[in-house]
Amino acid sequence: PIADLKFSPDGRFLATVCLDGCLDVYDAQVEYELIGSANSTPDSGLIHLDWSADSLYIQTDNTERLHQYWDATAVVEKVEGEEQLSRTKWHTWTCIYGWSVRGLVPRMGEPVGLNAVARTHQGDVLAVANDFGLVRLYRFPCPYVGSKHKRYAGHSSLVSKCCFTFDDKYLITVGAGDRCIFQWEHVVD
């Protein structure tokens, strides 16, 4: 099954990631012709993806907690470019792993219970949906382990998805257990 899909910022491509580990890139201007396909590490599914602002690269997360970078047009993994690509401007940020979100891990813990993240379009706040019914807000980027955050409760259990509205005025969250959709007003301190 498809776990995530996004159009490139320039609108030319559509990328999908699947739980079977496939990254597929399609040409949105030529009847969604398949440009290329690649696989993550064996026995791991891909769960999140983001496009770089220039539409040249894709970043993904897999179920084995591996953050990967890809050349979007050749659809090949960029193994040696990790340092450069970690500084790339990303159009969206929904990946739960990577340099910019290392601070989501508690000081003495593991990155467990993280289901989804969403960065504001302005690029300064990151929302996190977790297994415990909480929504947390961090300053973005948050590269330091144990970064400070604000916590908000509302869902009765696992929060499966979150995203900001186009103007960043609201955060929308989806509860998997309570089957509720919440709209949170985003007020900047």
Side-chain angles (χ1 to χ4, degrees):
I2 295 175
D4 200 357
L5 63 103
K6 290 188 179 76
F7 282 96
S8 60
D10 63 9
R12 181 166 178 212
F13 302 106
L14 172 68
T16 64
V17 291
C18 301
L19 293 177
D20 64 3
C22 285
L23 165 66
D24 294 326
V25 178
Y26 301 89
D27 190 330
Q29 297 176 340
V30 185
E31 298 181 359
Y32 293 95
E33 178 182 326
L34 181 64
I35 300 282
S37 188
N39 287 316
S40 184
T41 57
D43 300 323
S44 66
L46 290 171
I47 51 177
H48 303 285
L49 80 93
D50 294 297
W51 284 91
S52 61
D54 59 10
S55 300
L56 296 177
Y57 301 103
I58 296 170
Q59 65 178 354
T60 61
D61 288 335
N62 75 18
T63 54
E64 300 296 317
R65 299 182 184 166
L66 179 64
H67 188 73
Q68 296 171 283
Y69 298 101
W70 308 84
D71 180 305
T73 53
V75 195
V76 294
E77 186 176 3
K78 299 287 288 179
V79 177
E80 60 278 338
E82 184 174 342
E83 185 176 336
Q84 172 201 351
L85 291 171
S86 69
R87 295 188 195 120
T88 297
K89 182 176 179 185
W90 295 95
H91 181 65
T92 57
W93 193 288
T94 59
C95 288
I96 59 177
Y97 306 115
W99 177 85
S100 296
V101 292
R102 284 187 184 157
L104 303 182
V105 178
R107 287 194 195 284
M108 304 300 277
E110 290 287 319
V112 295
L114 302 176
N115 299 318
V117 302
R119 189 192 64 199
T120 56
H121 295 79
Q122 193 170 358
D124 59 342
V125 175
L126 187 77
V128 178
N130 73 19
D131 280 350
F132 312 108
L134 297 174
V135 174
R136 297 181 299 184
L137 293 182
Y138 292 81
R139 296 271 178 226
F140 186 85
C142 54
Y144 305 109
V145 172
S147 291
K148 291 184 179 182
H149 60 276
K150 293 185 178 182
R151 297 177 353 162
Y152 301 93
H155 291 280
S156 65
S157 62
L158 186 145
V159 184
S160 61
K161 193 73 173 163
C162 60
C163 69
F164 284 94
T165 56
F166 74 98
D167 56 4
D168 293 334
K169 287 186 180 179
Y170 298 96
L171 173 68
I172 310 299
T173 59
V174 177
D178 58 19
R179 301 172 82 184
C180 291
I181 299 173
F182 285 13
Q183 175 179 292
W184 308 76
E185 185 175 11
H186 177 217
V187 179
V188 180
D189 290 342

